Structure formats: structure tokens, C-alpha cells
Amino acid sequence: MPAEAAVPAGVAGFVEHNMAPIMFAALVVFLLLGYPVAFALAANGLVFGLVGIEFGLFRPDFLQALPERVFGTMNNDVLLAIPFFTFMGLVLERSGMAEDLLDTIGQLFGPVRGGLAYAVIFVGALLAATTGVVAASVISMGLISLPIMLRYGYDRRLASGVIAASGTLAQIIPPSLVLIVMADQLQRPVGDMYEGAFIPGLMLAGLYALWVFASSMINPAAAPGLPPDAQTLRDADGKTRRLSLLVVTIISATGAITLMQTFSTVKAGADYVVLTLSAGMLIAFALAVLNRLLRLKLLSRLAEQVVFVMVPPLALIFLVLGTIFVGVATPTEGGAMGATGALLLAAVKGRMNLKLLKQATESTAKLSAFAMFILLGARVFSLTFYGVNGHRWVEELLTSLPGGETGFLIFVNVLIFVLAFFLDYFELAFIVIPLIGPAAEHLGIDLVWLGVMLAVNMQTSFLHPPFGFALFFLRSVAPKDSYLDRVTGKHTDGITTAQIYRGAVPFVAIQLVMVTLVILFPGMVMHYKSSTPTVDPATIQIDVPMPPSDDLPLNIQPPSLPEAPGLSPELQAPDSTQPEPQDAPPRAD
């Protein structure tokens, strides 16, 4: 039955001219109704594929490519990094590393106003560079730091906001799962995406610390320092001697820079920072070991403890990021080494057991399957969407925006920010990014820069009230009701959901400020190109030496071809060394 007989002509014409926007709008409706993302994507792709076949807008043989697309997704080596980094983060969460870090760094920054908040941000950045999993960071810091911050009178909004925001650093500081997905969707190397996100991630942590400083200056009671009796890492005479740690830091930094300048060819970039940090870590660790073994008493107890606690995560950072930046390992291989290092660290701390392995393996399988099913659904959706020329509709829509490149960037970032209220970063990366990428490339926008910018923007999906996952994670471990503090013996009020939401709002604004900075100063991302040698085609000159004309031989005989076995004599090459018959016509050379 022709399409005109099945449906009214007006409806048929409307569908034919607006197939792509109708398809996209139907997906949004399904998502808002609460259907699982993977099944909503796949169902939309199949249903609109049948509709497109009925109207003659979609070729049926497109569906024959679907098995190959599914197999290609399953065969993607880059996506193997997702389960590796997830497993590494979950094992580290249970290895006690976060607890040791928060306790020691809290003692280091404790006397400073807002010191515990600075410690949470610092440890959050370290956990982000080792785990790459938001849930692990937020839950660990919520269980360990939040009771201490409440015990010493921190404002509940500031405390909850700092913990939730510091946990989201795992999505921008490498090794980040969202950066792996972004690199896959934008068809760019994961190593370039990691290197480009290095500086913005550290700057975002610095902006968090700047907000804590401003809050503590405006309202000192919101972030008090630790009292003297809470500082337990003291020497025998009762002094902390923080100057000792400063001396160790100066010696290690000087030695590391000297080694890099003398023996390394790497002089700039993120790989230089990682290698210098690793060399300084080894020097500091050697000093701390010698001080303990030889009982030199050159380092204070606090300085020695800080060094021993900082070495495992920094060693893991070098094992994962250092090998990727230097080019020794791919992100997948780096993730595998990181997972192995996390198991060794858990074994050294005596936390390795069958229960830990079972929990980490099950959680990794769930998250990996979640991501894979969304990706497969997105493949089905994109096959139909591209088949009805939806990508051209999106590209024309985005490239025709007023303002050119600037208008495109503003529109895309506003779109991601609004969608982040309802979708998480996996869904955004698999649905929206493949539609944005071709239009950005058409406008001449560097896709690594765009990917890092949107990754910073996607962080807001973890802090958006009321659907932010980081807020849900913190709510699950934060005390709701009044409880008896086990140290002070006093009743402490719990934290309300409204306080958690209000505490997250300033950090959402800070993330938007960071997006603006990435747009205004692209050099903080584009430095990843400095490690790649550039060649100007205009400067290329090819000189082929030719002998003088007098030296050229007058008679150049072509080489005789070897006799090809199995060919008849008629097909064999003529032998130029034999004289030609008298009656034969002259052979053209």
C-alpha cells in the first residue's frame, strides 16, 4: 500500500521534511518518561527505521550494517580502559589509601582556617588522578572527612559542597572515564585528551580552594582550624615542625628539576610535569627511608608520615599517566597496570581478600555493562539518524547559528548544561557528542579542546540539584539525624538534603567559570600539540642529485626479465640480447 493511502498527505509531507527533528524529540520524550536510556535509544532507532522505510526515507539495506556496528563496538580496544580504571578505583577505595590521605593531610593543613576543606580538595585531586571514579571519591571522603568537619564546627553547606565538588574532579583529571568516552566519540586519541585536560583539572581544584579561602575570610566561623589537641602527629617534645616538610619539598623539587634538565629530553608539557613529580617523589621517599632506617631524626614525624602516605598514590599516578604521556603505554595498557598496582597496594596494606575482589569485580561488571548497553543503543539510534540525514540537519542547524564559532560554543555549552539536569555524563557523551562533533569540525574547532571543554561542563551533571549523582552519593553516607560523636561525646546535628543542595550551587557556578576560562584561553588545553613535532609544508625541499649530461651513457639497455615459470613461450619477455630476424619489422623501443 503506498504511503499516501496509509496516512494523510499532510502528515506524510510533514514527516518527510522533519524526520530527523521528530526522531530527536521522540528520544527526549522517552527519556523524560523514565525509560532506560539504552532501550530508549535502540527502540527509537528501530521504530523510526521502519517509519523511514515506509515513507521511502530510509534504505532497508542500512539495517544490514547493524551487526557489524555492534561487533565493532564490542571489538573497540579503547573501551577496555573503562573496566580497568573502574576496577582500580574500587580496589583503592577499599585499600585504606583515602583514609590515610585524609587523616594525614588533614593534620598538615589542620591549624589553618579552612584547613580540613583544603585537605579534602587536595585529596580529592589525588584520588581523581588515581581512581577516576566519582562514586569512590565522594563516598570515601563523605565517610571519613564529613564527621570530622562537623565535629569541629564547619558550616554544613560548605562541608557538603566541598566534598561533593572535590569528588567530581575524577571526571576531568586523568584518568577519567568521561574523557575515554569523549575520545572514542570524537575519534581522537585518549592520550591527547588526557594531556589536554591536565591543566584545566588542576585549575578547577585551585578555584575550589579559592572559594574556600574566600568563605573562610568572609565568615571565619564557617571553616575553623583544628584545635591543638586534635593535632596528633607531633614529635616527642610536642612540636609538629612543619618546616621540616618544606625543606624536604625544596630538596626533592630541586633534585628532580636538575635530573630532568640533565638526563631528559622532555622539557615542557604535561609529561614533563608528571616525570618531574615522579622524580621528586622518589627523592623524597629515599630521604624518608634513610631517616627512618638510620634514625637520623632529620625529618619530623609529620613530614615523614606525609611522605610515606603520599608515595603510593603518586607512584600509581606515574604508573598510569606517566606511561601514557611518555608514550610507553596506551590508555588501555595504563589502565591494566593501574589495576595491578591497586591490587598490590591493597595487598601491602593487608586489605586484600576475597570479599574485596568480589565487590570490586561485581561493581565493575555492572558499570561496564551499563556503559556498553548505552553505547550499543546509541549505535542503533545513530544508524537510523544518519540514514535519514539527521547529521546534516544537526550540522546545518549548528553551523548556521549567529556568531560563527563563538555562537556555536555558547549554544552547545548551554545545551549541555540544560541536558545535564536530566542526563548523566555517559548519556550525554553517547547521545549528544556524536551530533556536535561533525559540526565543530566543519567550523574548524579543535575536537580535543571541545572535548575537554564539554567534559568540564558535564561535571555539572553530578552537582545539579535535584538529580546530581554526587549529591545522591553524599546523601547516602551523610548523617540525617542527630548523633553522638564518638570522640567528643556531644550530640551533633545531622545534615539536611536542602543543605547539601545549597552547598553544591556555588561549585556549579565555579565549574561554569572554568568552562568560560577554557573558551577564553584555549592554550591551557592546546598545549598537548607542543609534544608533537610540526612541519611546515612550505619549507620542505627535495633535492635529487643528477649526474652531468656528459656522464650519461649513450646506450642504455633495459635489463632482461627473468623467465617466468609456467608461461608459454609466446608470453615470455623478449630477449633483448638476441639479434632480431632479418625479415622482422623494426621493434619499437
Side-chain angles (χ1 to χ4, degrees):
M1 181 184 296
E4 289 77 4
V7 294
V11 175
F14 179 78
V15 172
E16 289 179 5
H17 289 89
N18 300 279
M19 184 73 167
I22 292 174
M23 187 176 177
F24 191 78
L27 174 63
V28 174
V29 170
F30 271 103
L31 295 177
L32 292 178
L33 289 176
Y35 284 94
V37 177
F39 303 125
L41 285 166
N44 266 272
L46 294 176
V47 169
F48 279 93
L50 296 176
V51 173
I53 292 173
E54 179 68 19
F55 284 98
L57 302 174
F58 184 74
R59 292 170 52 186
D61 53 356
F62 264 63
L63 295 177
Q64 297 177 0
L66 189 57
E68 185 178 351
R69 289 172 70 90
V70 172
F71 179 76
T73 301
M74 303 296 291
N75 200 33
N76 192 342
D77 292 339
V78 175
L79 297 178
L80 275 176
I82 293 177
F84 282 140
F85 285 127
T86 304
F87 182 79
M88 179 182 73
L90 294 172
V91 171
L92 288 176
E93 177 196 353
R94 294 165 173 81
S95 68
M97 185 186 72
E99 184 176 353
D100 295 341
L101 277 171
L102 285 167
D103 180 57
T104 304
I105 304 302
Q107 293 281 330
L108 177 63
F109 291 121
V112 182
R113 187 184 299 169
L116 287 177
Y118 296 135
V120 168
I121 296 171
F122 183 79
V123 173
L126 279 179
L127 292 178
T130 50
T131 64
V133 181
V134 172
S137 299
V138 174
I139 291 174
S140 298
M141 293 189 294
L143 288 172
I144 300 166
S145 294
L146 190 56
I148 301 175
M149 298 173 84
L150 297 181
R151 180 182 304 151
Y152 295 110
Y154 268 71
D155 183 82
R156 282 158 174 73
R157 292 169 297 179
L158 179 63
S160 58
V162 165
I163 292 175
S166 299
T168 63
L169 290 172
Q171 287 309 293
I172 187 60
I173 295 180
S176 163
L177 298 184
V178 70
L179 292 177
I180 297 173
V181 176
M182 296 284 282
D184 176 71
Q185 296 300 303
L186 294 173
Q187 298 297 307
R188 288 297 180 269
V190 180
D192 289 349
M193 199 71 74
Y194 276 0
E195 194 164 351
F198 195 76
I199 293 178
L202 296 181
M203 285 190 63
L204 187 59
L207 290 178
Y208 290 167
L210 188 62
W211 170 251
V212 172
F213 175 77
S215 300
S216 62
M217 291 294 103
I218 296 172
N219 184 13
L226 284 180
D229 57 350
Q231 302 171 36
T232 57
L233 289 177
R234 299 176 178 272
D235 291 343
D237 57 0
K239 296 182 179 180
T240 55
R241 291 188 172 87
R242 287 178 173 79
L243 186 61
S244 174
L245 181 61
L246 178 62
V247 173
V248 173
T249 304
I250 293 174
I251 294 174
S252 303
T254 305
I257 293 174
T258 303
L259 289 175
M260 291 296 296
Q261 295 293 333
T262 306
F263 300 104
S264 176
T265 57
V266 180
K267 303 299 181 183
D271 46 355
Y272 175 82
V273 175
V274 172
L275 291 174
T276 305
L277 182 64
S278 303
M281 172 200 70
L282 293 176
I283 295 173
F285 183 70
L287 292 175
V289 169
L290 290 175
N291 182 75
R292 175 168 291 187
L293 293 179
L294 302 179
R295 297 181 180 180
L296 301 176
K297 296 183 179 180
L298 298 177
L299 301 182
S300 65
R301 183 186 173 192
L302 176 64
E304 190 177 272
Q305 180 69 12
V306 168
V307 172
F308 283 132
V309 166
M310 291 281 291
V311 164
L314 291 178
L316 208 56
I317 290 172
F318 172 73
L319 187 65
V320 176
L321 297 183
T323 52
I324 294 174
F325 288 163
V326 175
V328 177
T330 65
T332 302
E333 295 166 345
M337 290 190 294
T340 305
L343 291 174
L344 293 175
L345 182 60
V348 169
K349 290 183 172 293
R351 303 289 184 93
M352 176 59 66
N353 52 52
L354 186 60
K355 181 180 178 181
L356 183 149
L357 283 176
K358 182 179 178 181
Q359 291 176 346
T361 305
E362 288 180 352
S363 299
T364 301
K366 289 179 182 178
L367 181 61
S368 302
F370 168 75
M372 191 57 64
F373 269 96
I374 292 180
L375 183 54
L376 292 178
R379 287 285 189 264
V380 178
F381 178 84
S382 64
L383 179 67
T384 304
F385 196 74
Y386 278 63
V388 298
N389 293 324
H391 60 295
R392 293 183 181 176
W393 170 72
V394 174
E395 183 174 337
E396 292 174 359
L397 176 67
L398 295 179
T399 54
S400 61
L401 292 170
E405 180 180 324
T406 303
F408 171 83
L409 293 176
I410 293 174
F411 176 81
V412 166
N413 280 286
V414 172
L415 176 66
I416 293 292
F417 179 74
V418 173
L419 291 177
F421 277 94
F422 313 103
L423 304 175
D424 68 5
Y425 68 97
F426 268 130
E427 298 159 356
L428 288 170
F430 288 137
I431 298 173
V432 182
I433 300 305
L435 304 178
I436 294 175
E441 195 167 19
H442 178 77
L443 291 172
I445 297 174
D446 185 89
L447 294 186
V448 173
W449 176 51
L450 178 70
V452 173
M453 180 197 312
L454 296 183
V456 177
N457 198 337
M458 285 182 189
Q459 279 188 286
T460 60
S461 67
F462 286 93
L463 294 179
H464 272 320
F467 302 114
F469 283 96
L471 306 181
F472 292 160
F473 297 145
L474 184 59
R475 175 71 282 175
S476 66
V477 297
K480 297 180 180 179
D481 303 318
S482 177
Y483 64 97
L484 187 66
D485 188 271
R486 58 183 179 84
V487 175
T488 62
K490 298 179 181 179
H491 283 278
T492 304
D493 294 333
I495 296 180
T496 65
T497 302
Q499 289 173 332
I500 294 177
Y501 285 173
R502 291 176 62 187
V505 171
F507 293 94
V508 173
I510 292 174
Q511 290 172 344
L512 295 179
V513 170
M514 191 66 228
V515 173
T516 306
L517 292 176
V518 173
I519 295 176
L520 296 178
F521 304 100
M524 68 175 66
V525 176
M526 304 292 282
H527 69 87
Y528 79 93
K529 291 186 175 182
S530 62
S531 59
T532 305
T534 57
V535 178
D536 185 4
T539 62
I540 299 177
Q541 183 177 357
I542 302 176
D543 294 325
V544 179
M546 297 293 292
S549 57
D550 296 339
D551 296 341
L552 290 175
L554 296 177
N555 296 323
I556 302 178
Q557 297 291 340
S560 60
L561 297 175
E563 196 171 303
L567 295 179
S568 61
E570 294 81 4
L571 298 179
Q572 296 288 350
D575 189 359
S576 60
T577 60
Q578 299 294 331
E580 296 183 0
Q582 296 291 333
D583 54 350
R587 179 161 46 89
D589 291 332

